[in-house]
Amino acid sequence: EAQVTQNPRYLITVTGKKLTVTCSQNMNHEYMSWYRQDPGLGLRQIYYSMNVEVTDKGDVPEGYKVSRKEKRNFPLILESPSPNQTSLYFCASLGTLYNEQYFGPGTRLTVT
Amino acid sequence: ILNVEQSPQSLHVQEGDSTNFTCSFPSSNFYALHWYRWETAKSPEALFVMTLNGDEKKKGRISATLNTKEGYSYLYIKGSQPEDSATYLCASQYNFNKFYFGSGTKLNVKP
């Protein structure tokens, strides 16, 4: 089954404690992206990757890092999380044939 | 940051009503317009991807149109059913790699 997986699904952590949210897709897509969703706002793009070792900033990259060492994986790293990073995070991959974006199940992060 | 706007923010209709939503977006460097259906506690699911001015797409009772010259897209649902209740998101894609989402239209269909 074609899918994008994320882990963990829920995470409560404290300010300053480094964390990683993993994202993996099994569709051999080159393009992957991370979004955050906050109440009253649309999904906002954090980082995207066009291919292995090719990443670039979206609109809200501050406080986040990403890496793309393998095509299927695109982890999101928060080196020193702060309460304003409390949000719902989605990873997505984009198929080039029909240009459809596939979303993971989401990770709800709370930083206290 | 580009502004993608959706209206209305929310909509309450009776089962059997037909309804439509609007998505407006900047036209410069436009690549494609995406519509998604997003149910509570699930992830957004792609409905349509449209690229050309005048594009029309249809899937069952749901259809969409695109006007890239004036920067808007309409999503239509004919004969709404309770299972159509969800938030409908539009996203405008620029230069292939950048996506800008509207804040969504929340549809509630009463039986």
Side-chain angles (χ1 to χ4, degrees):
Chain A
E1 182 193 351
Q3 61 180 349
V4 179
T5 57
Q6 289 178 232
N7 281 292
R9 294 289 311 278
Y10 302 91
L11 180 60
I12 300 174
T13 190
V14 296
T15 299
K17 186 175 181 184
K18 181 179 178 180
L19 66 93
T20 299
V21 184
T22 64
C23 173
S24 184
Q25 50 95 3
N26 63 359
M27 295 167 279
N28 202 36
H29 289 165
E30 292 180 349
Y31 180 98
M32 297 183 74
S33 188
W34 275 103
Y35 299 92
R36 60 178 289 173
Q37 202 277 323
D38 300 294
L41 299 176
L43 286 155
R44 292 181 292 168
Q45 197 169 29
I46 303 170
Y47 269 95
Y48 63 90
S49 170
M50 297 291 285
N51 212 329
V52 174
E53 302 293 1
V54 181
T55 63
D56 208 346
K57 296 176 182 178
D59 284 327
V60 288
E62 293 78 22
Y64 304 96
K65 283 175 57 177
V66 292
S67 70
R68 189 93 183 270
K69 292 183 170 46
E70 305 166 282
K71 200 172 189 178
R72 62 183 291 125
N73 296 324
F74 190 42
L76 180 70
I77 303 155
L78 285 72
E79 295 266 359
S80 182
S82 62
N84 64 12
Q85 292 178 297
T86 293
S87 189
L88 177 60
Y89 291 87
F90 286 103
C91 177
S93 70
L94 186 71
T96 50
L97 184 60
Y98 297 109
N99 198 30
E100 280 191 1
Q101 195 161 209
Y102 295 84
F103 283 85
T107 295
R108 189 165 289 281
L109 172 66
T110 302
V111 184
T112 60
Chain B
I1 297 179
L2 301 180
N3 198 27
V4 175
E5 295 186 351
Q6 289 188 247
S7 62
Q9 275 191 317
S10 65
L11 200 51
H12 297 263
V13 302
Q14 290 294 133
E15 182 174 353
D17 288 349
S18 292
T19 186
N20 64 85
F21 324 132
T22 303
C23 173
S24 62
F25 55 90
S27 301
S28 181
N29 296 319
F30 172 83
Y31 185 88
L33 193 285
H34 299 242
W35 281 101
Y36 298 89
R37 184 171 182 275
W38 189 12
E39 291 181 74
T40 304
K42 295 188 178 180
S43 51
E45 181 183 340
L47 285 172
F48 304 114
V49 182
M50 296 180 288
T51 54
L52 300 176
N53 186 45
D55 258 355
E56 291 188 22
K57 294 277 177 98
K58 187 175 181 181
K59 191 182 287 188
R61 294 178 291 98
I62 306 177
S63 60
T65 61
L66 178 66
N67 182 322
T68 60
K69 292 184 179 178
E70 295 181 45
Y72 65 84
S73 175
Y74 294 134
L75 186 78
Y76 301 92
I77 302 179
K78 187 177 177 181
S80 302
Q81 300 297 308
E83 57 265 30
D84 295 330
S85 296
T87 296
Y88 292 83
L89 299 174
C90 74
S92 194
Q93 184 182 6
Y94 295 91
N95 298 322
F96 183 78
N97 49 27
K98 289 281 191 97
F99 284 83
Y100 294 90
F101 282 77
S103 53
T105 293
K106 188 170 184 178
L107 175 66
N108 182 34
V109 183
K110 298 177 185 176

